[in-house]
Amino acid sequence: MTDPVMYTYGRMDIAFVRGEGAWLIDDKGNRYLDALSGIGVVSLGHANPVVANALAEQSTCLIHTSNLYHIPKQEELAAMLAEVSGMDNMFFANSGAEANECAIKIARLYGNNRGIENPTIIVADNSFHGRTLATLTATGNRKVHAGFEPLVNGFARVPFNDIETVRQTGEHNSNIVAVMVEPVLGEGGIQIPDDDYLPQLRKLCDDNKWLLIIDEVQSGNGRTGTYFCYQQADILPDVVTTAKGLANGIPIGVCLARGVAAETLKPGNHASTFGGTPLVCAAAIAVVNEITTRNLPERAAELGSRMVNKFNQHLGNLNNVREIRGKGLMLGIEMDSPCTELVQKAQDRGLLINVAVDNVIRLLPPLTITDEEADQICDGVISLVKEI
């Protein structure tokens, strides 16, 4: 029989049926240490009891009404996110791509309101913002674009971590209305910019009346050592997007805004049928409470630093390792050649990892892993890298 699921993923030959914290159990009873957490999604670990209880309680009360009405759980979550982010208000969607789509619409409408005929957003090479037509165009990866032309107009591409090219682009293009950037490139291989990159972008945007849009879909919600990564640069963006780690696996995306960006969209400009339902907001409230009350961002910073030090100690002098990078529990080991075969080799040993851009081992473990589990991840990766 033909597989009824559309062939959009090259799935590995494994099926998980149960989870316990940082561990997944397949349909044959084998256990795997999850150093990927659903690509940075299951930040509190699998089958987290706090999230499960929040979902169970809410599901017996109310799952869905409509955004035509007030949704108390949504307003409660919005107040929590406004407090931890410094933003004024937000739009609730179902994914990171949808959150970024909202951010792009804000920037375009902001530009049109200023009389700019062809509003253009500066985006970075090797970035990833989603797979809708607008967000895949914003994504700086030709592989993502291929076959979907004509792409959406209104984007100007620059190298990541290159302030001078951003400045020059603005000088030669009077249609620029915003800069959209990840504070750490996730799909782009855990690329970490210079410390002054975001502050300089903030100043350029202020000087030119551009919006600064920070994509925290992967880096946010405690993963990089603060609730949002931009907070380490002591700046406030005009728009910030988040998704992955916010509801521990329940689909959610949020586009947060402040100032003029928060006032741009009006009734009829944007909508989402399933955005911010009582059920998903109950899960996200539980997650935000856990992240903030348990100081999980600080824990991620401490544990990530320890893991990077261990990798440097054991792998730093190997000639096939180019660089070891990390910010909190967003870790990358760049090899000197493609190493995608390590994913299967790790799985065969009960460890789940990922390889980005063909040659960067990417690790995004749950924020709740123990010291012992962190050491197991390090030992497993070190062993694999030394073998090749």
Side-chain angles (χ1 to χ4, degrees):
M1 177 181 173
T2 303
D3 188 343
V5 178
M6 194 173 287
Y7 186 57
T8 58
Y9 290 89
R11 289 187 172 92
M12 303 185 73
D13 188 21
I14 190 169
F16 297 112
V17 296
R18 191 160 52 89
E20 298 171 357
W23 296 84
L24 283 168
I25 297 93
D26 69 12
D27 54 2
K28 299 177 179 63
N30 300 309
R31 292 172 62 85
Y32 300 80
L33 180 54
D34 187 0
L36 188 60
S37 62
I39 314 184
V41 170
V42 191
S43 54
L44 301 185
H46 299 284
N48 181 276
V50 176
V51 177
N53 289 339
L55 286 168
E57 182 178 338
Q58 186 61 43
S59 68
T60 63
C61 180
L62 184 65
I63 291 176
H64 177 83
T65 55
S66 166
N67 281 296
L68 294 172
Y69 315 110
H70 285 280
I71 301 174
K73 286 289 183 185
Q74 185 184 112
E75 293 168 4
E76 181 182 349
L77 175 59
M80 295 173 72
L81 290 174
E83 182 176 353
V84 297
S85 69
M87 298 291 109
D88 294 337
N89 62 20
M90 60 210 66
F91 176 85
F92 287 91
N94 307 288
S95 67
E98 289 184 33
N100 284 332
E101 192 85 13
C102 180
I104 291 167
K105 289 180 72 173
I106 288 173
R108 288 193 169 199
L109 187 54
Y110 166 75
N112 278 302
N113 288 344
R114 292 177 55 206
I116 297 173
E117 280 191 26
N118 299 296
T120 300
I121 302 170
I122 295 174
V123 292
D125 290 336
N126 299 313
S127 62
F128 185 86
H129 298 294
R131 293 187 183 271
T132 64
L133 273 175
T135 58
L136 75 82
T137 305
T139 292
N141 183 336
R142 178 57 192 152
K143 289 182 181 179
V144 175
H145 301 162
F148 296 106
E149 297 85 355
L151 300 178
V152 177
N153 293 326
F155 296 96
R157 212 166 301 285
V158 301
F160 182 64
N161 196 28
D162 185 338
I163 288 293
E164 188 55 37
T165 303
V166 176
R167 182 180 290 108
Q168 291 175 8
T169 301
E171 290 173 355
H172 294 94
N173 189 337
S174 60
N175 290 314
I176 301 299
V177 297
V179 176
M180 183 176 191
V181 69
E182 297 167 88
V184 177
L185 296 186
E187 302 299 319
I190 316 298
Q191 299 289 341
I192 302 169
D194 297 335
D195 289 344
D196 62 352
Y197 180 59
L198 292 184
Q200 288 193 61
L201 282 181
R202 177 69 276 175
K203 186 176 188 310
L204 272 177
C205 289
D206 289 340
D207 291 346
N208 292 280
K209 295 184 179 179
W210 304 335
L211 300 180
L212 178 59
I213 302 169
I214 303 292
D215 177 345
E216 296 254 15
V217 169
Q218 191 168 139
S219 59
N221 302 295
R223 177 153 298 278
T224 55
T226 45
Y227 196 92
F228 287 111
C229 190
Y230 67 78
Q231 292 166 327
Q232 298 173 43
D234 198 26
I235 64 159
L236 275 177
D238 300 291
V239 179
V240 58
T241 59
T242 192
K244 286 182 180 293
L246 179 55
N248 216 55
I250 307 301
I252 189 171
V254 189
C255 178
L256 305 94
R258 71 177 183 94
V260 65
E263 301 168 358
T264 297
L265 293 179
K266 305 297 183 186
N269 290 148
H270 201 45
S272 173
T273 297
F274 295 108
T277 65
L279 185 70
V280 71
C281 288
I285 288 167
V287 171
V288 176
N289 269 325
E290 287 288 286
I291 290 173
T292 54
T293 60
R294 293 176 57 183
N295 296 321
L296 292 182
E298 295 176 23
R299 168 69 174 165
E302 173 194 335
L303 200 52
S305 177
R306 197 179 109 190
M307 292 175 75
V308 166
N309 288 339
K310 186 166 184 176
F311 286 136
N312 275 315
Q313 179 184 351
H314 292 274
L315 302 177
N317 293 324
L318 298 185
N319 58 12
N320 63 339
V321 175
R322 283 184 181 165
E323 189 176 19
I324 297 164
R325 300 185 287 268
K327 188 173 277 288
L329 286 175
M330 198 171 180
L331 308 167
I333 301 171
E334 183 175 347
M335 307 298 293
D336 67 348
S337 61
C339 60
T340 54
E341 75 279 4
L342 292 183
V343 175
Q344 182 63 59
K345 289 183 177 181
Q347 181 184 304
D348 293 342
R349 301 179 188 189
L351 177 64
L352 304 178
I353 64 170
N354 176 246
V355 171
V357 293
D358 291 333
N359 71 324
V360 178
I361 300 168
R362 178 171 54 160
L363 305 172
L364 303 165
L367 308 186
T368 52
I369 57 169
T370 65
D371 290 354
E372 292 74 20
E373 288 164 343
D375 284 337
Q376 281 183 260
I377 292 170
C378 290
D379 292 341
V381 171
I382 289 166
S383 175
L384 287 165
V385 172
K386 284 185 174 180
E387 286 179 14
I388 63 169

